[in-house]
């Protein structure tokens, strides 16, 4: 059972430090909640940016240390990208979907289709980066569903509340300008909301309405988290009610047979 209140709240959880390699993210999230005096309630969803986890996992790569393969060199010449960056993209991907000047759209090893394998150069340097080092790139987390589950387990154990956790990243979309926050890891919150069989205002039965609930929550939180120097990597979304779900973000993915843009 899933319901949404007439009023949905989204607010940043303050007090998170600049995370570095080896930091305990579940501990940092819980400590920030306590420090901010936030009483976690049933149905709260904690939305955590993927970059927080990537930094804790040490997913930093110094670009000059990357040795590009022959394929990366060739593909880099075709699209006008640094072959070392292309090499990282290929390592994180299972297939190239589309290529154009300056961009590679790939099927990531986690199953979703995304530009440049989600690899980011913004806010990508480790805290202990020597002066003059870099440029640095930051890969997506290794296992976002597992990371979401670990954060959820810590918060639920400490608070006694039943919560959801969503790990987010910013994706572009076919035929639309700009990026939006999407879920790449989920725990506790149902990733999709199947409303088929419900009546509309006029009694007509819905036949095709399946809502990407975790993506909707990610997009709401993305407005608060920001994309530049805001330093708001954890956002709490309040106003939903849902039965706990053990489905991960894979429930949001179309199969390759159904995906017309893969």
């Amino acid at each position: 059972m899933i319901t949404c209140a007439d009023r949905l709240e989204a607010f940043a959880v303050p007090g998170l430090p600049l995370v570095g390699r080896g930091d305990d993210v579940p501990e940092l999230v819980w400590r920030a909640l306590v420090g901010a005096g936030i009483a976690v309630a049933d149905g709260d969803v904690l939305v955590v940016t993927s970059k927080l986890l990537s930094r804790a996992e040490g997913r930093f790569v110094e670009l000059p240390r990357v040795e590009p393969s022959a394929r990366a060199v060739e593909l880099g010449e075709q699209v006008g990208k640094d072959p070392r960056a292309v090499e990282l993209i290929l390592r994180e991907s299972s297939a190239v979907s589309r290529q154009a000047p300056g961009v590679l759209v790939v099927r990531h090893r986690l199953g979703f289709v995304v530009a440049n394998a989600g690899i980011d150069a913004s806010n990508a340097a480790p805290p202990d980066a020597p002066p003059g080092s870099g440029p640095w790139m930051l890969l997506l987390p290794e296992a976002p569903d597992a990371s979401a589950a670990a954060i959820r387990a810590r918060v639920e154990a400490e608070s006694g509340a039943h919560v959801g956790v969503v790990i987010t990243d910013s994706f572009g979309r076919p035929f639309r300008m700009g990026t939006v926050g999407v879920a790449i890891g989920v725990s506790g919150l149902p990733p999709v909301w199947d409303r088929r069989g419900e009546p509309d205002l006029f009694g007509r039965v819905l036949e095709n309405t399946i809502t990407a609930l975790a993506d909707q929550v990610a997009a709401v939180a993305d407005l608060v988290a920001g994309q530049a120097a805001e330093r708001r990597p954890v956002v709490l979304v309040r106003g939903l009610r849902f039965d706990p779900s053990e489905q991960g973000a894979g429930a949001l993915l179309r199969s390759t047979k159904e995906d017309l843009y893969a």
Side-chain angles (χ1 to χ4, degrees):
M1 182 67 178
I2 302 171
T3 60
C4 182
D6 291 339
R7 175 177 175 176
L8 201 65
E9 296 180 276
F11 51 91
V13 177
L16 272 296
L18 183 62
V19 169
R21 187 183 286 107
D23 283 346
D24 185 339
V25 173
E27 168 67 16
L28 291 176
V29 170
W30 175 247
R31 193 185 304 164
L33 289 165
V34 172
I38 298 172
V40 180
D42 286 344
D44 283 352
V45 182
L46 289 162
V47 184
V48 181
T49 59
S50 63
K51 192 161 290 185
L52 193 72
L53 294 167
S54 293
R55 295 181 66 85
E57 293 176 12
R59 300 281 283 161
F60 309 100
V61 179
E62 190 176 9
L63 200 57
R65 296 179 179 272
V66 177
E67 185 66 34
S69 63
R71 185 186 179 204
V73 171
E74 180 183 8
L75 198 53
E77 291 175 350
Q78 292 173 4
V79 300
K81 289 182 72 69
D82 187 320
R84 299 168 300 180
V86 174
E87 176 63 24
L88 292 177
I89 293 168
L90 293 176
R91 291 178 188 176
E92 288 290 290
S93 307
S94 60
V96 175
S97 173
R98 298 287 189 276
Q99 63 184 72
V103 68
L104 285 170
V105 179
V106 298
R107 184 169 290 275
H108 191 271
R109 59 180 175 78
L110 294 171
F112 44 75
V113 177
V114 62
N116 302 323
I119 298 172
D120 204 347
S122 63
N123 299 317
D128 56 354
S133 64
W136 293 86
M137 310 293 281
L138 194 63
L139 312 183
L140 288 179
E142 286 280 3
D145 281 341
S147 296
I151 296 168
R152 175 190 170 201
R154 179 61 188 277
V155 172
E156 290 190 337
E158 296 285 358
S159 68
H162 296 292
V163 302
V165 176
V166 174
I167 310 300
T168 69
D169 197 55
S170 298
F171 281 18
R173 303 147 298 157
F175 309 123
R176 306 287 286 187
M177 291 297 295
T179 63
V180 294
V182 300
I184 65 168
V186 183
S187 180
L189 177 76
V192 295
W193 184 357
D194 189 347
R195 308 202 66 176
R196 291 175 297 181
E198 295 184 31
D200 68 10
L201 285 173
F202 304 100
R204 184 182 182 277
V205 175
L206 301 178
E207 298 178 358
N208 300 298
T209 305
I210 302 175
T211 299
L213 182 61
D215 282 343
Q216 289 183 316
V217 170
V220 168
D222 192 50
L223 282 171
V224 177
Q227 296 292 325
E230 293 88 350
R231 288 189 66 171
R232 301 174 194 152
V234 179
V235 173
L236 191 147
V237 175
R238 177 169 287 168
L240 291 168
R241 290 291 180 269
F242 50 85
D243 293 329
S245 169
E246 301 307 320
Q247 283 189 299
L252 293 159
L253 303 179
R254 292 188 186 275
S255 70
T256 54
K257 293 180 180 179
E258 296 176 321
D259 193 341
L260 300 179
Y261 306 103

